[in-house]
Amino acid sequence: MIHDRLSDVLGELSRTLVVAYQIPNALERLCIQLTGMLPVSGCWAVVMDELDGELRFVAASDAVGRKLAALHGELDEGPCLEAARNGERVLVPDLGAPDAVERFPRFAAQAMAGGVSAVHSFPLRSIDQQVGSVGLFNVAPGELDEHDVELAQLLADLTAASIVGAHRYQQVSGLAAGAQQRLADAAVLEQAKGRLSVQLGVEPDHALAYLQRYLLASGGSVREAAEQVCAGKLSLRRTADGTITRG
């Protein structure tokens, strides 16, 4: 049964984390699935903002998970922050234990006041990038066994790899679109230069300079004017005094 559910999770990740805007929905589904697969009460996920490095809440299995994510941000303290910043899992089986209270004094107090007794946080990390973290919580104190810890970290690592892949896909797609646009712009300019060279009786390499001279007086962009030339909506001529006007 656990293998079937794991297969479902991995399959969903591979299908949905294709582009960056789908990440929140996929992580929300992952939180729900982790809660069902592991002996925990709930789950939440935070992702590091690429611009300022701050952790942003993304998804949770329930309202308690959302509250725990908010506490990390409000207090600047907690297992998920450490896991995300250090790239290491942080397992706190009893928030009331002296070492947990000493390590996370404000977070531990407020989490326990909200009915949470244990928090286990796993970094979302790739080889060269910290992505965020996933937090699991329990209403009763207790450790996760070794199998559950490794399974949670495996899913966190695969999720991080999918997120990084989604961002890189977006970047590559953007670069490809930009390159394609530049090629299209160049093609339009070359065609316009050819037509203008005939209209003005100049070499094609000089035609663009005449178009720019015309636009200094009339306004507009080179790309738009070139498109009008190619479409036959704009023709230019030189007057006796060298002024460039519409033909």
Side-chain angles (χ1 to χ4, degrees), residues 82-164:
E82 282 203 5
R85 290 170 176 171
N86 300 331
E88 301 291 339
R89 66 186 66 150
V90 180
L91 308 179
V92 187
D94 185 358
L95 286 169
D99 58 340
V101 173
E102 181 178 358
R103 189 175 182 181
F104 307 115
R106 293 176 297 164
F107 176 84
Q110 295 201 36
M112 287 190 293
V116 174
S117 297
V119 170
H120 309 287
S121 296
F122 298 83
L124 293 169
R125 64 196 177 189
S126 64
I127 294 176
D128 59 352
Q129 189 173 345
Q130 300 289 92
V131 177
S133 60
V134 173
L136 307 173
F137 70 88
N138 260 322
V139 296
E143 296 183 354
L144 293 176
D145 65 30
E146 183 178 352
H147 172 78
D148 291 334
V149 169
E150 293 304 320
L151 178 58
Q153 188 62 69
L154 171 63
L155 291 177
D157 289 344
L158 292 172
T159 300
S162 297
I163 291 173
V164 171

Side-chain angles (χ1 to χ4, degrees), residues 117-228:
S117 297
V119 170
H120 309 287
S121 296
F122 298 83
L124 293 169
R125 64 196 177 189
S126 64
I127 294 176
D128 59 352
Q129 189 173 345
Q130 300 289 92
V131 177
S133 60
V134 173
L136 307 173
F137 70 88
N138 260 322
V139 296
E143 296 183 354
L144 293 176
D145 65 30
E146 183 178 352
H147 172 78
D148 291 334
V149 169
E150 293 304 320
L151 178 58
Q153 188 62 69
L154 171 63
L155 291 177
D157 289 344
L158 292 172
T159 300
S162 297
I163 291 173
V164 171
H167 283 302
R168 288 177 179 167
Y169 173 83
Q170 292 292 89
Q171 292 169 356
V172 170
S173 297
L175 290 173
Q180 187 174 21
Q181 184 61 54
R182 287 192 293 273
L183 287 173
D185 290 346
V188 169
L189 286 176
E190 286 300 316
Q191 185 179 353
K193 283 162 59 177
R195 299 192 67 158
L196 289 172
S197 69
V198 174
Q199 296 172 12
L200 298 170
V202 299
E203 293 295 324
D205 289 343
H206 297 154
L208 183 58
Y210 282 104
L211 178 61
Q212 291 171 330
R213 186 191 302 177
Y214 166 76
L215 292 174
L216 283 176
S218 64
S221 73
V222 171
R223 169 64 195 239
E224 291 175 353
E227 288 178 338
Q228 291 178 349

